[in-house]
Amino acid sequence: ALSPLPDPLALLHEPYLAVSTGGTTGIPKCAVHSQYTYGGNLVNYLAAQRIDETDVFLMLGQFFHVTGYMPFAHLAMGRPVVITNFDAERTVRVIVEHGVTGFFCIATMLPRLVEELRTTATQTPSVRLVGYGGARMGEEVIRAASELFDADLVQIWGMSEFGTGTILGPEAHREAIAGERPHLLRSCGRAGLVTDVKVIDPDGALVPQDGTTVGELCHYGPNNMLHYWNKPDETAALVHDGWVHSGDGATWDSDGYIYIADRIKNMIISGGE
């Protein structure tokens, strides 16, 4: 007799994938996700990208990294994904050749793409959405990317431990670039669709939402990882009462916009790593 199939719902909370992260020590760890936590992350990302039936996504990051989940949102919507290693000239050529409508890049990539478009005067009419994240971005680069790509922008703050945490969407970018709320270009956005964030002091109390008081940025939601692979002590140190303590120093304002100020747990990032 055939063995009975496992209950699909029972598998939702089992380990599904592990995403590499260097953390603050530089020693690699793996953030273990289930299909449930991964699904929560995809919901946030779908809300950020607003994928439609015309989209062609360009994958520029590494698949072992937190960015590796991004193409699967487009594949889930039946849209094609183009994959290439990053080089500014090659990337622009691939965008034009394949009619790419959107991509996500880390902070070190976007200035190089802006410079490539300025130098070559290449037009990219297919692009409708440029995503960026990974570090604070200069306002001049954001404005230049909006103009040269003639596209909307979206910023995502996140970690391998939960994926997408906050989103600064196209509407906020448009307002800021138009001069209505220019300070938003310094923000990484507000909590994602299915998540919550807070900024706390060392005692765990919320800091004032005054845009100046720095605390630690924490994340809560169905996209939080299950645990670090074989590292129970590191897991316990990171997650408290369901909240992931990011190690990012941040402020927030009365509208819930987050502004990254510094790292509480210092680390060196080179090329997004």
Side-chain angles (χ1 to χ4, degrees), residues 59-76:
M59 175 61 181
L60 293 174
Q62 305 88 348
F63 280 97
F64 66 83
H65 215 289
V66 65
T67 54
Y69 69 83
M70 292 182 174
F72 295 97
H74 294 78
L75 294 174

Side-chain angles (χ1 to χ4, degrees), residues 16 45 52 74 107 121 123 125 142 146 167 188 191 195 202 207 213 220 233 249 255 263 265 268:
Y16 171 59
Y45 186 65
D52 67 25
H74 294 78
Q123 301 296 307
I142 298 173
S146 173
I167 301 166
C188 62
T195 62
V207 304
T213 304
Y220 182 90
D233 293 342
D255 293 319
R263 281 289 294 177
K265 306 170 185 176
I268 296 174

Side-chain angles (χ1 to χ4, degrees), residues 82-111:
V82 181
I83 303 171
T84 184
N85 291 327
F86 180 76
D87 169 84
E89 186 276 330
R90 180 193 300 121
T91 298
V92 171
R93 184 175 70 249
V94 168
I95 288 172
V96 173
E97 288 179 356
H98 292 272
V100 169
T101 61
F103 60 90
F104 182 87
C105 61
I106 60 173
T108 53
M109 294 177 180
L110 194 55

Side-chain angles (χ1 to χ4, degrees), residues 27-161:
I27 300 173
K29 299 188 291 293
C30 282
V32 178
H33 284 270
S34 67
Q35 294 190 57
Y36 181 82
T37 66
Y38 191 74
N41 185 37
L42 287 181
V43 169
N44 268 353
Y45 186 65
L46 286 166
Q49 290 288 314
R50 305 173 194 188
I51 302 166
D52 67 25
E53 68 277 3
T54 67
D55 279 338
V56 177
F57 183 73
L58 176 62
M59 175 61 181
L60 293 174
Q62 305 88 348
F63 280 97
F64 66 83
H65 215 289
V66 65
T67 54
Y69 69 83
M70 292 182 174
F72 295 97
H74 294 78
L75 294 174
M77 299 293 288
R79 302 311 307 150
V81 174
V82 181
I83 303 171
T84 184
N85 291 327
F86 180 76
D87 169 84
E89 186 276 330
R90 180 193 300 121
T91 298
V92 171
R93 184 175 70 249
V94 168
I95 288 172
V96 173
E97 288 179 356
H98 292 272
V100 169
T101 61
F103 60 90
F104 182 87
C105 61
I106 60 173
T108 53
M109 294 177 180
L110 194 55
R112 299 179 192 180
L113 291 173
V114 164
E115 184 60 28
E116 178 68 17
L117 293 183
R118 278 177 173 160
T119 302
T120 63
T122 303
Q123 301 296 307
T124 57
S126 63
V127 176
R128 70 169 185 84
L129 190 65
V130 175
Y132 65 96
R136 293 179 65 178
M137 182 69 68
E139 294 181 35
E140 188 276 334
V141 174
I142 298 173
R143 294 178 185 276
S146 173
E147 177 183 352
L148 292 169
F149 280 106
D150 190 22
D152 279 325
L153 284 87
V154 60
Q155 181 180 177
I156 295 174
W157 168 83
M159 298 170 57
S160 298
E161 288 78 358

